[in-house]
């Protein structure tokens, strides 16, 4: 299943990328160890716990559809579709994926980490969606 977050404002792409790295930290350092401790078969069986975050940026139209007390939001635009496709990628240890549009518009705070500073994102060719040919992936996490 998927959860979608929406980021707005002047540094929305930076905020979204940092959030992806924080989700990676939460999954790898908190959620996964607790689940494996409670259910030891997760470390012994063929099923592997995994997650992925996909981020894109574009204009989006949000429409509330349905009937009273039974309605939902429908997201129309490129970024919800592309982000969903990116979040379906499983390339352990890479769990965060962003489009080139996100990468080129986020601040260096979300691009570089460590000491000394290093680029946290690796450029990749991607041909799953027309018009989106370059994505970046990361195995980094951001400790809160």
């Amino acid at each position: 299943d998927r959860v979608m977050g929406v980021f707005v404002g002047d540094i929305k792409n930076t905020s979204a990328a940092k959030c992806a790295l924080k989700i990676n930290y939460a999954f790898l350092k908190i959620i996964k160890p607790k689940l494996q401790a409670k259910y030891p078969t997760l470390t012994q069986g063929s099923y592997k716990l995994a997650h992925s975050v996909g981020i894109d940026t574009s204009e989006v139209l949000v429409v509330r559809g349905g009937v009273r007390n039974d309605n939902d939001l429908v997201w129309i635009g490129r970024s919800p579709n592309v982000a969903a496709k990116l979040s379906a990628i499983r390339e352990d240890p890479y769990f965060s994926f962003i489009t080139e549009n996100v990468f080129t518009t986020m601040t260096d705070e979300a691009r570089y980490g460590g000491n000394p500073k290093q680029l946290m994102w690796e450029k990749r060719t991607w041909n799953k969606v027309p018009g989106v040919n370059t994505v970046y992936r990361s195995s980094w996490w951001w400790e809160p």
Side-chain angles (χ1 to χ4, degrees):
D1 221 351
R2 292 187 177 102
V3 174
M4 184 168 73
V6 177
F7 294 82
V8 296
D10 294 337
I11 58 166
K12 63 182 175 239
N13 296 324
T14 298
S15 298
K18 286 171 54 177
C19 182
L21 300 177
K22 289 177 182 181
I23 289 171
N24 194 31
Y25 174 86
F27 178 78
L28 293 173
K29 303 298 183 180
I30 301 168
I31 297 167
K32 187 175 179 180
K34 288 189 179 207
L35 283 172
Q36 289 175 331
K38 185 168 183 166
Y39 305 104
T41 56
L42 289 174
T43 60
Q44 302 158 357
S46 60
Y47 182 81
K48 294 194 182 241
L49 292 173
H51 80 289
S52 184
V53 175
I55 303 171
D56 189 25
T57 186
S58 72
E59 287 192 15
V60 175
L61 174 65
V62 183
V63 178
R64 176 176 244 149
V67 295
R68 186 178 308 226
N69 297 324
D70 190 18
N71 55 57
D72 208 343
L73 298 176
V74 178
W75 302 83
I76 303 166
R78 184 187 94 161
S79 59
N81 179 45
V82 171
K85 286 180 177 14
L86 289 171
S87 72
I89 299 172
R90 298 295 184 264
E91 292 180 0
D92 191 356
Y94 301 97
F95 302 112
S96 304
F97 297 85
I98 61 175
T99 61
E100 187 169 38
N101 287 349
V102 173
F103 182 81
T104 58
T105 56
M106 66 188 190
T107 66
D108 283 351
E109 177 186 17
R111 284 189 194 149
Y112 298 95
N115 189 10
K117 296 287 184 190
Q118 314 168 49
L119 185 62
M120 295 187 289
W121 301 91
E122 177 183 309
K123 187 176 185 177
R124 308 293 290 169
T125 300
W126 193 61
N127 59 4
K128 304 294 183 198
V129 176
V132 182
N133 301 316
T134 302
V135 298
Y136 290 79
R137 67 183 188 179
S138 181
S139 61
W140 287 64
W141 62 79
W142 192 293
E143 188 171 356

